[in-house]
Amino acid sequence: MWKRAVCTKDCPDTCGLLVKVENGRIVSVKGDPDHPYTTGFICKKAGFFPEHIHSPKRITTPLKRTGPKGSGRFEPMGWDEAMKEVAFRMKTVSSEFGPEAILPYSFAGHMGLVHRHAGHAFFNRLGASGLDYTICGPAASAGFEASLGKGPSTEIQWASQSDYIIIWGSNTLTTNVHAWPFFNKARKAGATLIVIDPYRNRTAQEADVHVMIKPGTDAALALSMMHIIIEQDLIDHNFIARKTIGFEKLNLRAAEYPPARAADICGISEEMIVRLAEGYGRAKAPYIRTGWGPARQLKGGMAMRTIALLPALVGAFDKPGGGITRSLGGAPSDLRALTRPDLRPSSTRTVNMVELGHALTRLDNPPIKMLYVYLSNPAVVAPQSRDVLKGLAREDLFVVVQEMFRTDTTHYADIILPGASFLETTDLYRAYGHNYIQMARPVIPPVGQSRPTLAIFQDLAARLGFKEDVFSLSEMNCIENFLLDASPFMEGVDAEMVKSGKPVRLNIPPNPYAHGFTTPSGKVEFFSQAMADQGLDPLPDGEPLRDPDGGDRYPLEFITPPHHLFLNSAFNEINSIREQAGPAKVMIHPETARVRSITNGDPVRVFNDRGECRFLAHVTNDTQAGLLVAEGLHWPSLSPGGGANQLTSQRLTDMGNTCAFHCNRVEIAPLAMTTTSITR
Ligand SMILES: Nc1nc2c(c(=O)[nH]1)N[C@H]1C(S)=C(S)[C@@H](COP(=O)(O)OP(=O)(O)OC[C@H]3O[C@@H](n4cnc5c(=O)[nH]c(N)nc54)[C@H](O)[C@@H]3O)O[C@H]1N2
Ligand SMILES: Nc1nc2c(c(=O)[nH]1)N[C@H]1C(S)=C(S)[C@@H](COP(=O)(O)OP(=O)(O)OC[C@H]3O[C@@H](n4cnc5c(=O)[nH]c(N)nc54)[C@H](O)[C@@H]3O)O[C@H]1N2
Ligand SMILES: [Mo]
């Protein structure tokens, strides 16, 4: 029997799935052809869901540590005993150090609105340290917000009418594959496809033009495009007069970025910049799909803000097919009824999740004494692993991890709680790559003794004596009471239709920018007073800022974009995926390799002051001289070598306090050699 489900992995596409169940087991997964956006095909990873859900490595009972911390030795325990122990630790840590000594750490292992937010009310009521959920998108959204305002951007389907598509820092064919048919439709009608990315990723390989930009230099490129577009009078005077502010000031700033200067900053030719500006400026309906790549830089907010100004200059928002996409969808309602920030004591501190390493090793008054991890794998995904692992290994830190598998994080747990998967829970899903919501019911019961996140927190709430209603609601109650109410996005949404499990369109127009902008002025802000008020440059600024740590000793740039076969750190647990992915590799340009006596396939070490990790060298022209690229997050425990996050830093971006995952300076050497014997 085929049952309808929704893919919950942290990906913009949030696919409609059909799942075949036989004798209580999932045997096959395919795309739901009735989903208007994902239209019946799935990515390679989703085909492995039967193996993922019924993996022999699935954790099926609570486990307690038996060996020394970090030994990875555990034995089964009952749920009652586990919950008693966790509740007891929460009480003793709270009374000895105060509840702020407890830190929850969660992210997007399960994207359902109910389960993803199931712990918030609990930790607020407990008075635990809060968590700032900054590991992914806030720099990108803050950048867009300064220029265009908050809210959903141009819908991807809209781009099928465009004649000029720029994919700007997104590996669409890997991370957002359901956008591709819409871009292809435009290309069949004659559209040009440009990719702006530091390396020739899968998507760049399929483009008409690949602009191989240096990381962190997008704002300079965008400003230079503006320079040319203004100089050649390719601007939309009418749109600028009616719907923007600050054009004169922008003009002066853009004048500082002639192509010669930008070419130098961006590492591309002047001709390329002129060609790009003319192509964009002359197009009938130019469209930009930004990924999150340009935002994962120390000046990532500024980069996104600057890119987001281009459509206004040429009036693209008024043209069918024109616009710009970052994030889509909308929360069906205010989530506060579910997350209950009002229960939180007023002066409670918040920890930025990017700075987990600092929090576990340096934070005081009080120090973190208990860490509760769920729906996340910080030992692999959080930056600057050396600090994170040092913190997790602390003997005096009590670590609870809710997981489906024995990950590098559970390795450091005192207690592991088996979490139910998305195919075993009821939830409501919004997407960030399309404007449909969809509800899913369990297609099988929880595997083994695993439990849904909501049930686990309700059990703990009862043991701690929390009496508020929010701690006794079922998944369906949460959806009906809080999520299906009358927010503007939900206007006209039929609740019964949602409950039927079919994808339902939110009340969001395909190109919201045609209806106005939610900036303070209600216009596109070339000049942003809000940024000036935050002490930031109110105009776009193209001066790049690179990783300052270690200086000239680390002459190479290092980026860590997503892997085609992994989803952040997920899917490492599946043997056949790992075999296909092979060992962790680092892409290196032939010239950069030659001067270091590195040849293709050599084991190498990549290092900086933050750490070191090992890869096999992949010598290729798909990257540029001076740039190393390591796709994906291999679990260090299964792919010895340390993991790419050994090299990343906890420094925060200019806006949004996000991680600059793609802003690192490093050196590389053949494994056998020491640092001092490198020849240049
Ligand atoms: N297969 C797969 N799919 C995924 C994920 C995964 O891990 N694997 N992760 C999911 C998640 S959580 C997210 S947030 C999205 C992310 O999806 P994307 O936005 O596609 O991913 P990013 O890591 O932000 O990197 C995008 C591209 O930006 C490039 N880039 C890096 N620095 C710069 C720069 O300074 N300028 C420019 N122009 N480009 C730059 C990278 O080389 C990369 O090709 O994908 C989701 N989908
Ligand atoms: N170097 C580098 N690091 C990065 C990035 C990068 O580009 N480069 N990308 C960053 C980004 S964009 C993001 S969003 C973060 C992601 O950070 P995380 O959200 O922590 O990413 P995942 O690796 O998907 O880990 C989720 C964990 O939840 C568990 N899980 C999944 N589904 C379920 C479920 O249904 N129930 C239960 N109980 N558990 C489940 C999985 O087993 C998995 O271990 O990583 C960031 N880290
Ligand atoms: Mo992400």
Side-chain angles (χ1 to χ4, degrees), residues 587-642:
M587 297 165 76
I588 178 170
H589 187 269
E591 191 51 32
T592 313
R594 192 185 56 78
V595 295
R596 290 168 177 78
S597 307
I598 292 169
T599 53
N600 197 33
D602 281 354
V604 289
R605 47 189 284 268
V606 179
F607 54 95
N608 58 21
D609 286 347
R610 295 186 285 265
E612 165 173 326
C613 61
R614 291 167 189 196
F615 299 98
L616 295 186
H618 174 203
V619 179
T620 169
N621 282 310
D622 287 347
T623 183
Q624 50 185 293
L627 173 69
L628 305 183
V629 184
E631 288 183 331
L633 297 175
H634 294 256
W635 290 0
S637 58
L638 296 176
S639 172

Short mmCIF file of all heavy atoms in Angstrom, two decimals, residues 587-642:
data_model
loop_
_atom_site.label_atom_id
_atom_site.label_comp_id
_atom_site.label_asym_id
_atom_site.label_seq_id
_atom_site.Cartn_x
_atom_site.Cartn_y
_atom_site.Cartn_z
N MET A 587 39.15 19.42 -3.17
CA MET A 587 39.47 19.83 -4.53
C MET A 587 40.58 20.88 -4.48
O MET A 587 40.52 21.81 -3.67
CB MET A 587 38.22 20.43 -5.21
CG MET A 587 37.10 19.40 -5.35
SD MET A 587 35.51 20.15 -5.73
CE MET A 587 35.73 20.51 -7.43
N ILE A 588 41.56 20.70 -5.34
CA ILE A 588 42.70 21.64 -5.37
C ILE A 588 43.08 21.89 -6.82
O ILE A 588 43.07 20.97 -7.64
CB ILE A 588 43.88 21.11 -4.52
CG1 ILE A 588 45.08 22.06 -4.57
CG2 ILE A 588 44.30 19.69 -4.92
CD1 ILE A 588 46.18 21.71 -3.56
N HIS A 589 43.40 23.14 -7.14
CA HIS A 589 43.75 23.52 -8.50
C HIS A 589 45.15 22.96 -8.85
O HIS A 589 46.03 22.93 -7.98
CB HIS A 589 43.75 25.05 -8.60
CG HIS A 589 43.94 25.57 -9.98
ND1 HIS A 589 45.18 25.86 -10.51
CD2 HIS A 589 43.03 25.81 -10.96
CE1 HIS A 589 45.02 26.30 -11.75
NE2 HIS A 589 43.73 26.27 -12.05
N PRO A 590 45.36 22.55 -10.11
CA PRO A 590 46.65 21.95 -10.48
C PRO A 590 47.85 22.81 -10.10
O PRO A 590 48.87 22.29 -9.64
CB PRO A 590 46.55 21.80 -12.00
CG PRO A 590 45.07 21.72 -12.29
CD PRO A 590 44.39 22.51 -11.22
N GLU A 591 47.73 24.12 -10.28
CA GLU A 591 48.86 25.01 -9.98
C GLU A 591 49.15 25.01 -8.47
O GLU A 591 50.31 24.93 -8.04
CB GLU A 591 48.50 26.42 -10.48
CG GLU A 591 49.64 27.40 -10.47
CD GLU A 591 50.88 26.87 -11.19
OE1 GLU A 591 50.76 26.08 -12.17
OE2 GLU A 591 51.98 27.20 -10.72
N THR A 592 48.10 25.12 -7.67
CA THR A 592 48.25 25.13 -6.21
C THR A 592 48.84 23.79 -5.74
O THR A 592 49.63 23.75 -4.80
CB THR A 592 46.86 25.36 -5.56
OG1 THR A 592 46.21 26.44 -6.22
CG2 THR A 592 46.98 25.68 -4.08
N ALA A 593 48.45 22.71 -6.41
CA ALA A 593 48.95 21.39 -6.04
C ALA A 593 50.42 21.22 -6.44
O ALA A 593 51.24 20.72 -5.66
CB ALA A 593 48.10 20.32 -6.73
N ARG A 594 50.73 21.68 -7.64
CA ARG A 594 52.09 21.46 -8.18
C ARG A 594 53.17 22.06 -7.28
O ARG A 594 54.13 21.39 -6.93
CB ARG A 594 52.18 22.07 -9.59
CG ARG A 594 53.43 21.67 -10.37
CD ARG A 594 53.51 22.40 -11.71
NE ARG A 594 53.48 23.85 -11.58
CZ ARG A 594 54.49 24.61 -11.21
NH1 ARG A 594 55.66 24.07 -10.93
NH2 ARG A 594 54.35 25.92 -11.09
N VAL A 595 52.95 23.32 -6.85
CA VAL A 595 53.99 23.97 -6.02
C VAL A 595 54.10 23.31 -4.65
O VAL A 595 55.06 23.56 -3.92
CB VAL A 595 53.76 25.49 -5.87
CG1 VAL A 595 53.89 26.19 -7.20
CG2 VAL A 595 52.41 25.80 -5.23
N ARG A 596 53.16 22.47 -4.32
CA ARG A 596 53.24 21.77 -3.03
C ARG A 596 53.53 20.27 -3.21
O ARG A 596 53.36 19.49 -2.29
CB ARG A 596 51.94 21.96 -2.26
CG ARG A 596 51.77 23.39 -1.77
CD ARG A 596 50.36 23.66 -1.27
NE ARG A 596 50.25 25.00 -0.74
CZ ARG A 596 50.12 26.10 -1.48
NH1 ARG A 596 50.12 26.02 -2.81
NH2 ARG A 596 50.01 27.28 -0.91
N SER A 597 53.89 19.91 -4.42
CA SER A 597 54.19 18.51 -4.74
C SER A 597 53.05 17.57 -4.39
O SER A 597 53.25 16.48 -3.85
CB SER A 597 55.47 18.05 -4.02
OG SER A 597 56.52 18.93 -4.27
N ILE A 598 51.83 18.03 -4.65
CA ILE A 598 50.65 17.19 -4.40
C ILE A 598 50.16 16.68 -5.75
O ILE A 598 50.00 17.45 -6.70
CB ILE A 598 49.55 18.01 -3.70
CG1 ILE A 598 49.99 18.38 -2.28
CG2 ILE A 598 48.22 17.24 -3.68
CD1 ILE A 598 49.11 19.40 -1.60
N THR A 599 49.91 15.38 -5.84
CA THR A 599 49.33 14.85 -7.07
C THR A 599 47.97 14.23 -6.76
O THR A 599 47.64 13.95 -5.60
CB THR A 599 50.24 13.81 -7.75
OG1 THR A 599 50.55 12.82 -6.78
CG2 THR A 599 51.51 14.43 -8.28
N ASN A 600 47.20 14.03 -7.81
CA ASN A 600 45.82 13.55 -7.66
C ASN A 600 45.78 12.25 -6.84
O ASN A 600 46.55 11.34 -7.10
CB ASN A 600 45.23 13.33 -9.06
CG ASN A 600 43.72 13.23 -8.99
OD1 ASN A 600 43.09 13.89 -8.15
ND2 ASN A 600 43.13 12.42 -9.85
N GLY A 601 44.90 12.21 -5.85
CA GLY A 601 44.73 11.01 -5.04
C GLY A 601 45.64 10.94 -3.82
O GLY A 601 45.47 10.06 -2.97
N ASP A 602 46.57 11.89 -3.70
CA ASP A 602 47.47 11.89 -2.54
C ASP A 602 46.70 12.14 -1.25
O ASP A 602 45.82 13.00 -1.21
CB ASP A 602 48.50 13.03 -2.64
CG ASP A 602 49.65 12.70 -3.58
OD1 ASP A 602 49.69 11.55 -4.06
OD2 ASP A 602 50.47 13.61 -3.82
N PRO A 603 47.07 11.45 -0.18
CA PRO A 603 46.54 11.86 1.13
C PRO A 603 47.19 13.18 1.54
O PRO A 603 48.39 13.35 1.39
CB PRO A 603 46.97 10.73 2.08
CG PRO A 603 47.81 9.79 1.30
CD PRO A 603 47.95 10.29 -0.11
N VAL A 604 46.36 14.11 1.99
CA VAL A 604 46.88 15.44 2.36
C VAL A 604 46.32 15.85 3.71
O VAL A 604 45.31 15.31 4.17
CB VAL A 604 46.46 16.53 1.33
CG1 VAL A 604 47.20 16.35 0.02
CG2 VAL A 604 44.95 16.53 1.11
N ARG A 605 47.01 16.79 4.33
CA ARG A 605 46.45 17.42 5.52
C ARG A 605 46.19 18.88 5.22
O ARG A 605 47.00 19.55 4.57
CB ARG A 605 47.35 17.25 6.74
CG ARG A 605 48.82 17.55 6.50
CD ARG A 605 49.69 17.15 7.67
NE ARG A 605 49.57 18.08 8.76
CZ ARG A 605 50.37 19.13 8.93
NH1 ARG A 605 51.36 19.39 8.11
NH2 ARG A 605 50.18 19.96 9.95
N VAL A 606 45.05 19.37 5.67
CA VAL A 606 44.70 20.78 5.52
C VAL A 606 44.63 21.33 6.93
O VAL A 606 44.05 20.69 7.81
CB VAL A 606 43.35 20.95 4.79
CG1 VAL A 606 42.99 22.41 4.66
CG2 VAL A 606 43.40 20.28 3.41
N PHE A 607 45.22 22.48 7.15
CA PHE A 607 45.32 22.95 8.53
C PHE A 607 45.34 24.46 8.63
O PHE A 607 45.65 25.16 7.67
CB PHE A 607 46.58 22.36 9.20
CG PHE A 607 47.84 22.63 8.43
CD1 PHE A 607 48.65 23.72 8.73
CD2 PHE A 607 48.21 21.81 7.37
CE1 PHE A 607 49.80 23.99 8.00
CE2 PHE A 607 49.36 22.06 6.63
CZ PHE A 607 50.16 23.15 6.95
N ASN A 608 44.98 24.93 9.82
CA ASN A 608 45.19 26.32 10.22
C ASN A 608 45.32 26.31 11.74
O ASN A 608 45.43 25.22 12.33
CB ASN A 608 44.07 27.24 9.70
CG ASN A 608 42.67 26.82 10.17
OD1 ASN A 608 42.52 26.11 11.17
ND2 ASN A 608 41.65 27.28 9.45
N ASP A 609 45.28 27.48 12.38
CA ASP A 609 45.48 27.49 13.83
C ASP A 609 44.32 26.84 14.58
O ASP A 609 44.44 26.49 15.74
CB ASP A 609 45.68 28.92 14.34
CG ASP A 609 47.05 29.46 13.98
OD1 ASP A 609 47.91 28.64 13.56
OD2 ASP A 609 47.26 30.69 14.11
N ARG A 610 43.18 26.72 13.90
CA ARG A 610 42.01 26.15 14.60
C ARG A 610 42.03 24.64 14.62
O ARG A 610 41.43 24.02 15.49
CB ARG A 610 40.73 26.64 13.91
CG ARG A 610 40.54 28.14 14.04
CD ARG A 610 39.21 28.59 13.48
NE ARG A 610 39.15 28.62 12.05
CZ ARG A 610 39.38 29.71 11.30
NH1 ARG A 610 39.67 30.85 11.88
NH2 ARG A 610 39.29 29.64 9.99
N GLY A 611 42.66 24.02 13.62
CA GLY A 611 42.66 22.56 13.59
C GLY A 611 43.25 22.03 12.31
O GLY A 611 43.86 22.76 11.52
N GLU A 612 43.05 20.74 12.13
CA GLU A 612 43.64 20.06 10.98
C GLU A 612 42.69 18.95 10.55
O GLU A 612 42.04 18.33 11.40
CB GLU A 612 44.98 19.45 11.42
CG GLU A 612 45.50 18.43 10.44
CD GLU A 612 46.90 17.93 10.77
OE1 GLU A 612 47.72 18.73 11.28
OE2 GLU A 612 47.17 16.76 10.49
N CYS A 613 42.58 18.71 9.26
CA CYS A 613 41.89 17.49 8.86
C CYS A 613 42.51 16.92 7.60
O CYS A 613 43.30 17.56 6.93
CB CYS A 613 40.40 17.70 8.75
SG CYS A 613 39.91 18.89 7.57
N ARG A 614 42.17 15.67 7.37
CA ARG A 614 42.82 14.93 6.29
C ARG A 614 41.84 14.60 5.19
O ARG A 614 40.67 14.34 5.46
CB ARG A 614 43.42 13.64 6.85
CG ARG A 614 44.58 13.99 7.74
CD ARG A 614 45.05 12.87 8.58
NE ARG A 614 46.01 13.44 9.51
CZ ARG A 614 46.88 12.76 10.21
NH1 ARG A 614 46.91 11.45 10.10
NH2 ARG A 614 47.70 13.37 11.02
N PHE A 615 42.36 14.64 3.97
CA PHE A 615 41.54 14.34 2.81
C PHE A 615 42.39 13.58 1.80
O PHE A 615 43.60 13.49 1.95
CB PHE A 615 41.10 15.65 2.12
CG PHE A 615 40.27 16.58 2.93
CD1 PHE A 615 40.84 17.67 3.59
CD2 PHE A 615 38.89 16.41 3.03
CE1 PHE A 615 40.07 18.55 4.33
CE2 PHE A 615 38.11 17.29 3.75
CZ PHE A 615 38.69 18.36 4.41
N LEU A 616 41.74 13.12 0.72
CA LEU A 616 42.47 12.73 -0.47
C LEU A 616 42.40 13.93 -1.42
O LEU A 616 41.34 14.55 -1.57
CB LEU A 616 41.83 11.51 -1.13
CG LEU A 616 41.86 10.22 -0.30
CD1 LEU A 616 41.32 9.06 -1.12
CD2 LEU A 616 43.28 9.91 0.19
N ALA A 617 43.52 14.25 -2.04
CA ALA A 617 43.55 15.40 -2.96
C ALA A 617 42.85 15.05 -4.26
O ALA A 617 43.09 14.00 -4.84
CB ALA A 617 44.99 15.81 -3.23
N HIS A 618 41.95 15.94 -4.70
CA HIS A 618 41.35 15.80 -6.02
C HIS A 618 41.85 17.00 -6.82
O HIS A 618 41.37 18.12 -6.64
CB HIS A 618 39.82 15.80 -5.88
CG HIS A 618 39.10 15.79 -7.19
ND1 HIS A 618 37.81 16.24 -7.34
CD2 HIS A 618 39.50 15.41 -8.42
CE1 HIS A 618 37.45 16.12 -8.60
NE2 HIS A 618 38.45 15.62 -9.28
N VAL A 619 42.87 16.77 -7.65
CA VAL A 619 43.48 17.87 -8.41
C VAL A 619 42.61 18.13 -9.63
O VAL A 619 42.40 17.25 -10.46
CB VAL A 619 44.92 17.50 -8.81
CG1 VAL A 619 45.55 18.64 -9.62
CG2 VAL A 619 45.77 17.21 -7.57
N THR A 620 42.07 19.35 -9.73
CA THR A 620 41.08 19.62 -10.78
C THR A 620 40.98 21.11 -11.12
O THR A 620 41.15 21.97 -10.24
CB THR A 620 39.68 19.11 -10.34
OG1 THR A 620 38.70 19.62 -11.26
CG2 THR A 620 39.30 19.58 -8.95
N ASN A 621 40.67 21.37 -12.37
CA ASN A 621 40.40 22.75 -12.80
C ASN A 621 39.01 23.23 -12.41
O ASN A 621 38.64 24.35 -12.71
CB ASN A 621 40.54 22.86 -14.32
CG ASN A 621 41.99 22.91 -14.74
OD1 ASN A 621 42.75 23.71 -14.20
ND2 ASN A 621 42.39 22.04 -15.66
N ASP A 622 38.25 22.38 -11.77
CA ASP A 622 36.91 22.80 -11.31
C ASP A 622 36.99 23.77 -10.14
O ASP A 622 35.99 24.36 -9.74
CB ASP A 622 36.05 21.59 -10.92
CG ASP A 622 35.58 20.83 -12.15
OD1 ASP A 622 35.71 21.37 -13.26
OD2 ASP A 622 35.12 19.69 -12.00
N THR A 623 38.19 23.92 -9.56
CA THR A 623 38.34 24.99 -8.57
C THR A 623 39.40 25.96 -9.11
O THR A 623 40.04 25.70 -10.11
CB THR A 623 38.71 24.46 -7.17
OG1 THR A 623 38.77 25.57 -6.26
CG2 THR A 623 40.05 23.73 -7.17
N GLN A 624 39.53 27.12 -8.45
CA GLN A 624 40.47 28.13 -8.92
C GLN A 624 41.77 28.02 -8.14
O GLN A 624 41.81 27.43 -7.05
CB GLN A 624 39.86 29.53 -8.78
CG GLN A 624 39.28 29.79 -7.39
CD GLN A 624 38.57 31.14 -7.30
OE1 GLN A 624 39.21 32.18 -7.39
NE2 GLN A 624 37.26 31.13 -7.13
N ALA A 625 42.84 28.61 -8.65
CA ALA A 625 44.11 28.63 -7.93
C ALA A 625 43.87 29.29 -6.58
O ALA A 625 43.19 30.31 -6.50
CB ALA A 625 45.15 29.38 -8.73
N GLY A 626 44.40 28.70 -5.54
CA GLY A 626 44.29 29.31 -4.21
C GLY A 626 43.04 28.97 -3.45
O GLY A 626 42.85 29.42 -2.32
N LEU A 627 42.14 28.16 -4.05
CA LEU A 627 40.89 27.82 -3.34
C LEU A 627 40.77 26.30 -3.17
O LEU A 627 40.78 25.56 -4.16
CB LEU A 627 39.67 28.33 -4.13
CG LEU A 627 38.31 27.89 -3.57
CD1 LEU A 627 38.02 28.56 -2.22
CD2 LEU A 627 37.18 28.18 -4.56
N LEU A 628 40.62 25.86 -1.93
CA LEU A 628 40.36 24.45 -1.65
C LEU A 628 38.87 24.27 -1.36
O LEU A 628 38.27 25.10 -0.68
CB LEU A 628 41.16 23.97 -0.43
CG LEU A 628 42.67 24.19 -0.47
CD1 LEU A 628 43.31 23.59 0.79
CD2 LEU A 628 43.29 23.58 -1.72
N VAL A 629 38.30 23.19 -1.89
CA VAL A 629 36.87 22.94 -1.70
C VAL A 629 36.68 21.53 -1.16
O VAL A 629 37.14 20.56 -1.76
CB VAL A 629 36.10 23.04 -3.05
CG1 VAL A 629 34.60 22.89 -2.82
CG2 VAL A 629 36.41 24.36 -3.76
N ALA A 630 36.02 21.43 -0.02
CA ALA A 630 35.69 20.10 0.53
C ALA A 630 34.18 20.01 0.63
O ALA A 630 33.55 20.67 1.47
CB ALA A 630 36.32 19.93 1.91
N GLU A 631 33.58 19.21 -0.26
CA GLU A 631 32.12 19.10 -0.24
C GLU A 631 31.67 18.21 0.91
O GLU A 631 32.15 17.09 1.07
CB GLU A 631 31.62 18.49 -1.57
CG GLU A 631 31.75 19.45 -2.74
CD GLU A 631 31.20 18.88 -4.04
OE1 GLU A 631 31.22 17.64 -4.22
OE2 GLU A 631 30.75 19.67 -4.89
N GLY A 632 30.73 18.74 1.66
CA GLY A 632 29.97 17.90 2.58
C GLY A 632 30.56 17.64 3.94
O GLY A 632 31.72 17.95 4.22
N LEU A 633 29.72 17.09 4.77
CA LEU A 633 30.11 16.83 6.14
C LEU A 633 30.16 15.32 6.37
O LEU A 633 29.16 14.68 6.64
CB LEU A 633 29.13 17.51 7.09
CG LEU A 633 29.11 19.04 6.96
CD1 LEU A 633 28.04 19.65 7.84
CD2 LEU A 633 30.47 19.63 7.32
N HIS A 634 31.36 14.77 6.20
CA HIS A 634 31.58 13.36 6.54
C HIS A 634 31.68 13.26 8.06
O HIS A 634 32.21 14.16 8.70
CB HIS A 634 32.90 12.87 5.94
CG HIS A 634 32.93 12.83 4.43
ND1 HIS A 634 32.82 11.67 3.73
CD2 HIS A 634 33.04 13.83 3.51
CE1 HIS A 634 32.87 11.94 2.42
NE2 HIS A 634 33.00 13.24 2.27
N TRP A 635 31.18 12.17 8.63
CA TRP A 635 31.40 11.97 10.06
C TRP A 635 32.87 11.61 10.26
O TRP A 635 33.32 10.58 9.71
CB TRP A 635 30.56 10.81 10.60
CG TRP A 635 29.10 11.06 10.67
CD1 TRP A 635 28.42 12.20 10.32
CD2 TRP A 635 28.10 10.12 11.12
NE1 TRP A 635 27.07 12.02 10.52
CE2 TRP A 635 26.86 10.76 11.02
CE3 TRP A 635 28.16 8.81 11.60
CZ2 TRP A 635 25.66 10.13 11.38
CZ3 TRP A 635 26.97 8.19 11.96
CH2 TRP A 635 25.74 8.84 11.86
N PRO A 636 33.59 12.37 11.07
CA PRO A 636 34.98 12.02 11.31
C PRO A 636 35.14 10.58 11.80
O PRO A 636 36.09 9.91 11.44
CB PRO A 636 35.42 13.02 12.38
CG PRO A 636 34.51 14.18 12.19
CD PRO A 636 33.20 13.64 11.70
N SER A 637 34.19 10.08 12.58
CA SER A 637 34.34 8.73 13.13
C SER A 637 34.32 7.67 12.03
O SER A 637 34.84 6.57 12.22
CB SER A 637 33.24 8.45 14.13
OG SER A 637 31.98 8.59 13.50
N LEU A 638 33.68 7.97 10.90
CA LEU A 638 33.57 6.97 9.84
C LEU A 638 34.49 7.29 8.66
O LEU A 638 34.63 6.50 7.75
CB LEU A 638 32.12 6.90 9.33
CG LEU A 638 31.10 6.42 10.36
CD1 LEU A 638 29.70 6.47 9.77
CD2 LEU A 638 31.42 5.00 10.80
N SER A 639 35.04 8.47 8.65
CA SER A 639 35.90 8.89 7.55
C SER A 639 37.08 9.59 8.18
O SER A 639 37.15 10.80 8.21
CB SER A 639 35.12 9.83 6.64
OG SER A 639 35.95 10.40 5.68
N PRO A 640 37.99 8.81 8.78
CA PRO A 640 39.00 9.41 9.64
C PRO A 640 39.71 10.58 8.99
O PRO A 640 39.99 10.53 7.80
CB PRO A 640 39.98 8.25 9.90
CG PRO A 640 39.18 7.02 9.63
CD PRO A 640 38.18 7.38 8.58
N GLY A 641 39.95 11.61 9.74
CA GLY A 641 40.61 12.77 9.18
C GLY A 641 40.17 14.05 9.84
O GLY A 641 40.70 15.10 9.59
N GLY A 642 39.17 14.00 10.68
CA GLY A 642 38.87 15.17 11.48
C GLY A 642 37.57 15.86 11.15
O GLY A 642 36.87 16.30 12.02
#
